[in-house]
Amino acid sequence: MKKKYYYKKQNLNGREIYIYNDELMNSYKKLSNYLRRIWSIKTKSRQNIIKDIKECLSNGNRIIMDNDNCLTFSNERPTLIIRGDIHHFFSSVNKRIIYKKMMTKDCLSIEKVNLIKNIIFDKNIKGLPQGNPLSSSLSEIYLMEFDNFINLKFEPIIYERFVDDFIIVLSGNEFDFNSIKKDISDKLKKLNLYLSDKKFSITKISEPILKKLKQSSIQNNYHLFDFLGYEFSLLSVPKNIIIQNSNSQCKKGEKLLIVNISISNVKLKKYKSKINKYFLDYKKNKRSNSFWILKYRVENIFCGVITLDSKSNIQKIGLPYGYSEVNNYNKYFQLYGELVFLCKKYKLNNFKRYEIMKDLHQYSDIKEYNFNIKNRIINYNSMNVKILFNILSNISLKYFRKKSLNKKSYNKKYIIKKIFSIIYGNK
C-alpha cells in the first residue's frame, strides 16, 4: 500500500510555509543530505558570503582605526557591481525541469524517488515547498545551470548567490548595462524564472568617482549596494586618523577609502518596528509578567544570545550574531536611541528602565568602528537550573506561583525552550 504524506500550510510574513511531521521531516533531511553528496553541492553561510565580498572589495588590505580592523577599498579591482534577486523563486520553479534533472542520476532508490515525486506531482504545491528541507537541495540543483552561465559569460572577480539573491563583481569598462540585464534575464526565463526589477541594480565604481571621494574636503559615504541585510558603501576618511596601516605610510590630510559595512536601512526599519510592537504589547497587557517579557524580547535583539531551538539544537540570535560582519555601528546607536525614546514614551519607572538598560549601557557610547561582541553574550545553556527557573517565574504567573521545582522542571533544555516559547507567545 502506498504511503500517504501529510502536511499543513502556514502563512509566515506573506510566505506559504509547509509543515510536516517529525518522521517526514527526518526522511526529507536525509534525502536532502544525500542529494548534496551525489551532486557535490557546497553552499556558503550568509556570513561567509559577506566575508568573501569584503575581501574582494578590499583585496585584503587592512588598517587599524578606533582600535578596530577596517578594510581599505582596492581601486585596482572591482569596477562593476551587479546586484539581483529572483522574483518569487520557490513558487516559480518548473517542477518538470527539476524532475528531469533528478532522473539523470541512477543512484536513487524507489523510496527516494517516491519522496521526490511527492513534491513534484502534488498539484496543491506550486513550485518547491518552503519549509521542506529537500527544497534547499533541489533549488541548488535547479540553479546550477544559471551559476555556470554567470561564471562562463562574465568571468567575474566574484559571484555569490544565497538562494535567490545574487551579486556579481566584474572588472573593466567594456560592459554594457542593458546587455548585462538582458543576458541574465534571458537565461532565467529559460528556467521559468524572472528578475525582480525592484531589487536589480548595477553600480559602476569609476576612476572619477574615486578621485572625487578622495579629494573631497568633507567625509563622504558613497552607497554601493545592499545584500543579505547588509549595506556596503565607501567611506572617505582622513589618513591622519589611521592608527596603523600595514601597507603604506599615511600622509596627513589625505583621504583613504574604507569599505563601510552596516545594517541596511530596510533591516534597521524592521528592527525599529519590532521594538515598537514589543512596547505596544507591553502597554496592552496589564499582567505583571508583561514587563519581563518586554525586557527579554529587547535583550534578545541587542545582545548575542545563545539558546536552543525547538529541536534542542544550539541557536545564536541577536544583532552581534546576526550581523557579525558589520564594521560601522552607527545604526546600532540609532536603534539604541529608539529604545531610549520608547522607555520615555511609555513612562517606564526607574526600576524598569534599569532592568532593560543594565546589559545594554555600552550601546550608549558606541564608537563608530569599535564594538566588542564578547561584552554582550548571554548564554542560556550555561545557566544553572535555579537561574533559568527564576527567569521562567518572571515571565509566567503559572511558574511564579510554584514554590519549588518539579521533576520535569529540572531538565535545562525543557526550561530554556519553555522560556522562549512564552517570550514569543508560542505557548
Side-chain angles (χ1 to χ4, degrees):
M1 185 177 178
K2 189 177 179 180
K3 188 177 179 179
K4 292 185 177 181
Y5 299 89
Y6 296 100
Y7 57 83
K8 61 181 180 179
K9 299 178 184 179
Q10 179 180 327
N11 190 283
L12 183 65
N13 298 325
R15 296 183 301 164
E16 198 171 60
I17 305 299
Y18 290 76
I19 301 172
Y20 301 82
N21 61 38
D22 290 342
E23 183 183 356
L24 264 179
M25 282 293 283
N26 288 331
S27 297
Y28 280 125
K29 282 180 182 177
K30 288 178 181 178
L31 177 54
S32 179
N33 291 334
Y34 178 76
L35 292 180
R36 285 180 177 273
R37 287 197 302 273
I38 64 172
W39 284 85
S40 301
I41 297 172
K42 295 179 180 179
T43 54
K44 295 180 186 177
S45 69
R46 170 174 164 268
Q47 306 296 14
N48 282 337
I49 287 174
I50 298 299
K51 283 180 182 178
D52 287 346
I53 295 172
K54 284 167 63 175
E55 292 299 315
C56 171
L57 293 174
S58 66
N59 199 15
N61 293 329
R62 296 179 180 274
I63 58 168
I64 305 298
M65 187 166 70
D66 281 351
N67 298 320
D68 198 11
N69 277 305
C70 291
L71 298 166
T72 58
F73 179 70
S74 173
N75 61 352
E76 295 178 359
R77 299 197 66 189
T79 57
L80 211 64
I81 300 171
I82 303 156
R83 164 77 178 89
D85 176 86
I86 302 172
H87 186 64
H88 291 164
F89 169 65
F90 282 97
S91 60
S92 300
V93 168
N94 187 314
K95 294 194 286 188
R96 293 192 178 277
I97 293 176
I98 191 66
Y99 185 68
K100 285 180 181 179
K101 289 178 182 290
M102 298 306 303
M103 292 304 105
T104 60
K105 299 288 184 181
D106 56 2
C107 52
L108 295 173
S109 66
I110 294 175
E111 182 183 0
K112 289 181 174 68
V113 171
N114 285 335
L115 277 170
I116 295 169
K117 284 182 176 180
N118 178 50
I119 293 175
I120 301 298
F121 299 111
D122 188 333
K123 294 181 180 179
N124 295 316
I125 299 176
K126 188 179 179 182
L128 296 177
Q130 294 188 67
N132 188 318
L134 185 58
S135 293
S136 63
S137 295
L138 293 179
S139 66
E140 290 301 316
I141 294 168
Y142 192 77
L143 287 173
M144 279 182 176
E145 186 179 333
F146 176 72
D147 294 339
N148 291 335
F149 167 79
I150 296 296
N151 285 316
L152 291 172
K153 175 70 178 178
F154 300 109
E155 297 182 351
I157 296 172
I158 187 171
Y159 164 60
E160 298 287 359
R161 180 178 57 78
F162 188 76
V163 191
D164 52 358
D165 285 305
F166 64 87
I167 186 168
I168 309 165
V169 181
L170 307 176
S171 177
N173 296 310
E174 68 276 11
F175 298 101
D176 177 70
F177 285 21
N178 292 326
S179 64
I180 288 174
K181 185 175 182 180
K182 185 179 184 303
D183 289 341
I184 295 172
S185 184
D186 287 348
K187 185 60 186 179
L188 286 173
K189 283 178 183 177
K190 291 179 181 179
L191 296 170
N192 197 48
L193 303 173
Y194 298 89
L195 272 177
S196 171
D197 287 331
K198 289 182 179 179
K199 295 183 179 180
F200 185 84
S201 65
I202 299 179
T203 304
K204 187 174 183 179
I205 309 173
S206 61
E207 287 184 13
I209 291 173
L210 296 173
K211 187 176 180 180
K212 185 178 179 180
L213 286 170
K214 287 182 176 183
Q215 294 180 352
S216 174
S217 59
I218 60 173
Q219 182 170 295
N220 279 315
N221 194 25
Y222 181 73
H223 180 266
L224 296 177
F225 59 90
D226 289 357
F227 191 58
L228 303 182
Y230 287 87
E231 178 187 281
F232 285 77
S233 61
L234 293 181
L235 183 70
S236 61
V237 297
K239 281 191 175 183
N240 62 318
I241 73 169
I242 307 300
I243 297 172
Q244 179 184 332
N245 185 341
S246 59
N247 297 317
S248 63
Q249 295 296 320
C250 299
K251 295 181 181 180
K252 189 174 181 179
E254 290 185 358
K255 287 279 182 17
L256 200 65
L257 296 182
I258 305 299
V259 180
N260 200 47
I261 306 166
S262 61
I263 301 174
S264 70
N265 287 326
V266 172
K267 288 297 179 183
L268 178 65
K269 186 177 179 180
K270 287 183 178 179
Y271 273 114
K272 285 184 176 180
S273 297
K274 186 180 288 188
I275 295 172
N276 273 270
K277 180 184 180 301
Y278 290 163
F279 272 85
L280 193 60
D281 290 345
Y282 160 71
K283 183 181 178 181
K284 289 179 178 178
N285 193 335
K286 302 299 181 182
R287 294 183 180 181
S288 59
N289 66 330
S290 63
F291 165 72
W292 293 104
I293 290 175
L294 170 66
K295 168 190 160 57
Y296 293 119
R297 283 178 170 182
V298 168
E299 196 173 77
N300 293 345
I301 289 177
F302 284 92
C303 297
V305 177
I306 303 173
T307 180
L308 299 173
D309 64 15
S310 59
K311 302 295 183 181
S312 296
N313 298 313
I314 292 176
Q315 185 179 36
K316 295 180 179 181
I317 60 175
L319 283 170
Y321 285 126
Y323 292 88
S324 60
E325 297 308 309
V326 161
N327 67 6
N328 185 299
Y329 306 101
N330 281 338
K331 289 179 182 176
Y332 280 21
F333 187 76
Q334 291 179 38
L335 198 61
Y336 178 80
E338 183 77 7
L339 176 62
V340 173
F341 168 75
L342 291 171
C343 287
K344 292 178 181 178
K345 179 181 177 180
Y346 289 92
K347 299 178 181 179
L348 269 61
N349 60 35
N350 290 337
F351 169 76
K352 291 180 178 180
R353 285 191 193 185
Y354 170 77
E355 282 295 326
I356 284 183
M357 298 294 188
K358 67 179 182 180
D359 292 320
L360 313 178
H361 67 276
Q362 289 177 328
Y363 274 87
S364 63
D365 56 338
I366 287 175
K367 290 184 179 179
E368 192 172 16
Y369 292 97
N370 190 9
F371 187 76
N372 189 356
I373 183 178
K374 294 179 181 178
N375 295 333
R376 295 162 188 83
I377 298 298
I378 298 174
N379 190 346
Y380 280 82
N381 301 323
S382 66
M383 294 179 186
N384 61 45
V385 172
K386 187 175 180 180
I387 293 174
L388 288 170
F389 193 79
N390 284 339
I391 294 172
L392 190 58
S393 299
N394 284 337
I395 62 176
S396 173
L397 296 175
K398 173 185 173 182
Y399 290 93
F400 178 76
R401 295 189 185 101
K402 292 184 178 182
K403 295 182 179 180
S404 61
L405 297 171
N406 57 39
K407 188 174 181 180
K408 191 176 183 181
S409 296
Y410 276 106
N411 186 319
K412 281 182 66 173
K413 290 183 178 180
Y414 168 81
I415 302 176
I416 293 170
K417 289 190 284 187
K418 193 69 179 175
I419 286 170
F420 280 80
S421 69
I422 293 172
I423 289 173
Y424 297 105
N426 304 319
K427 302 175 196 179

